[in-house]
Amino acid sequence: THSYTNYNSWDKVQSWIAAISTSNSALISKQSIGSTYEGRPMTLLKLGKKSSVTKPAIFMDCGIHAREWISPAFCQWFVKEALSTYGSDSQMTSLLDQMDVYVLPVFNIDGYDYTHKSNRMWRKTRSRTSGTSCLGTDPNRNWNAGWCSKSEPCSETFCGSKVESEVEVRNVADFLRRNKADIKAYLTIHSYSQLVLFPYSYTYDLAADHSELLKVAEGASSALRGLYGTRYTSGPGAATIYPAAGGSDDYAYDIGVKYSFTFELRDTGRYGFLLPASQIKPTCMETMLAIKYIAAHVQENL
Ligand SMILES: Nc1ncc(C[C@H](C[SeH])C(=O)O)cc1Cl
Ligand SMILES: [Zn+2]
Ligand SMILES: [Zn+2]
Ligand SMILES: [Zn+2]
Ligand SMILES: [Zn+2]
């Protein structure tokens, strides 16, 4: 059965989504945003006090990269925490009263399932591109944000045959475009390296909101560090990790979602993508503090 302190197979996550989304009709609902390349349902969870009026929102996705298993584990943890602390935790109560939080538990479901069944180190989607026998496109290189145009289909960071060639990317990009007036923050969860990144990665140029985003990223990192002392580095993607084009955070920022952050969760390389399940709980607990810090800042600036 499903466990918040284990890495759940796609089948277990899928049944968890069905159960949790009907567990509390006052606080959570689900909606389909389409299907993956292999036909798996992309179900978006909507957290927040039910309202007849549209509320400002935060969008968070996990599992863009298949092998980064701690990421979907965090999204599941976040949903559980939100529902179980609403009414007792004043900040979570305020957040869900004032805003909606959209959570996509696993973005790249085909890839995630493939890492469970075949190749634990797979990163990309599982789509086929004509003219090559190599599979998959990097879903974090496929967005219309400085898109790379020239790249190798067999590369781990293949940008795709065109912008939004990946149906998973198109499904989420469409949702962001449809709701961009209300979406105030975009959070995308990855591993590993222990980083809080913000735009831009596709250029070394500083974002218009660079100083504010840096302040928020540093505040989130220090909130996280307060629990177990885990050290995160904050900064714009290009200079902090590597320059790279076609990423989701840059795209969200460029369509007007100001508070756009990429998290790289534990660890710094000892286990890397193979983070032991024993670290799921501490990782999720400390990451909650960072996410809540950002959410509070977003609320302050509504
Ligand atoms: N815009 C971006 N933001 C963050 C990253 C880092 C992640 C780390 Se797994 C990636 O390589 O896709 C990469 C890009 Cl292109
Ligand atoms: Zn498995
Ligand atoms: Zn990643
Ligand atoms: Zn990563
Ligand atoms: Zn603030």
Side-chain angles (χ1 to χ4, degrees):
T1 56
H2 178 275
S3 162
Y4 291 108
T5 54
N6 267 315
Y7 295 116
N8 297 294
S9 65
W10 167 243
D11 292 346
K12 285 186 184 148
V13 176
Q14 188 173 14
S15 43
W16 169 82
I17 288 169
I20 198 101
S21 59
T22 53
S23 70
N24 185 336
S25 60
L27 283 178
I28 186 169
S29 64
K30 70 178 175 188
Q31 61 193 86
S32 170
I33 56 167
S35 301
T36 67
Y37 180 84
E38 293 180 334
R40 295 179 175 88
M42 293 179 74
T43 305
L44 190 60
L45 294 174
K46 181 182 183 181
L47 298 164
K49 187 178 154 203
K50 285 279 163 297
S51 165
S52 51
V53 297
T54 306
K55 294 154 74 184
I58 292 171
F59 184 101
M60 178 165 72
D61 62 49
C62 289
I64 279 188
H65 290 134
R67 63 191 176 192
E68 300 167 8
W69 283 9
I70 188 61
S71 170
F74 177 71
C75 269
Q76 293 164 69
W77 186 279
F78 179 88
V79 172
K80 181 256 302 173
E81 270 304 293
L83 295 181
S84 61
T85 63
Y86 179 88
S88 59
D89 179 295
S90 60
Q91 200 214 328
M92 185 61 78
T93 305
S94 157
L95 174 62
L96 298 184
D97 282 349
Q98 192 174 33
M99 302 189 76
D100 289 323
V101 181
Y102 291 102
V103 179
L104 183 61
V106 186
F107 186 115
N108 177 7
I109 309 171
D110 298 346
Y112 184 73
D113 193 56
Y114 190 71
T115 59
H116 276 265
K117 294 175 177 169
S118 307
N119 177 353
R120 175 69 182 79
M121 291 306 279
W122 191 257
R123 169 183 167 98
K124 302 190 286 182
T125 63
R126 292 292 299 163
S127 64
R128 280 153 180 67
T129 303
S130 62
T132 173
S133 60
C134 288
L135 293 184
T137 288
D138 185 340
N140 209 33
R141 300 294 183 278
N142 194 233
W143 299 71
N144 194 9
W147 187 71
C148 85
S149 75
K150 202 200 64 56
S151 67
E152 263 301 299
C154 299
S155 156
E156 286 284 45
T157 56
F158 178 49
C159 311
S161 53
K162 62 180 167 47
V163 163
E164 293 180 21
S165 60
E166 304 312 289
V167 62
E168 298 87 352
V169 172
R170 218 161 41 251
N171 290 339
V172 176
D174 282 343
F175 182 86
L176 295 177
R177 286 189 282 262
R178 268 199 312 275
N179 296 281
K180 67 182 182 179
D182 305 308
I183 297 175
K184 307 303 177 188
Y186 172 76
L187 307 172
T188 183
I189 314 299
H190 292 249
S191 78
Y192 61 92
S193 295
Q194 295 175 195
L195 304 171
V196 183
L197 306 172
F198 51 87
Y200 287 105
S201 291
Y202 72 70
T203 176
Y204 283 101
D205 293 353
L206 299 185
D209 302 291
H210 174 83
S211 52
E212 184 184 359
L213 295 177
L214 179 58
K215 198 164 58 70
V216 175
E218 286 175 339
S221 298
S222 65
L224 186 152
R225 190 164 68 245
L227 190 54
Y228 301 115
T230 308
R231 294 188 171 285
Y232 271 59
T233 303
S234 308
T240 309
I241 187 166
Y242 33 62
S248 63
D249 54 358
D250 288 352
Y251 181 72
Y253 185 76
D254 280 346
I255 65 169
V257 182
K258 175 173 161 184
Y259 300 108
S260 182
F261 298 93
T262 294
F263 276 76
E264 286 275 84
L265 304 185
R266 289 191 191 182
D267 61 14
T268 56
R270 178 164 182 213
Y271 295 103
F273 304 117
L274 310 181
L275 191 71
S278 59
Q279 292 198 41
I280 294 173
K281 185 175 180 201
T283 300
C284 291
M285 288 174 66
E286 68 189 10
T287 307
M288 282 303 297
L289 302 178
I291 300 298
K292 289 170 81 171
Y293 180 94
I294 294 172
H297 185 82
V298 172
Q299 286 186 264
E300 288 160 19
N301 290 275
L302 283 178

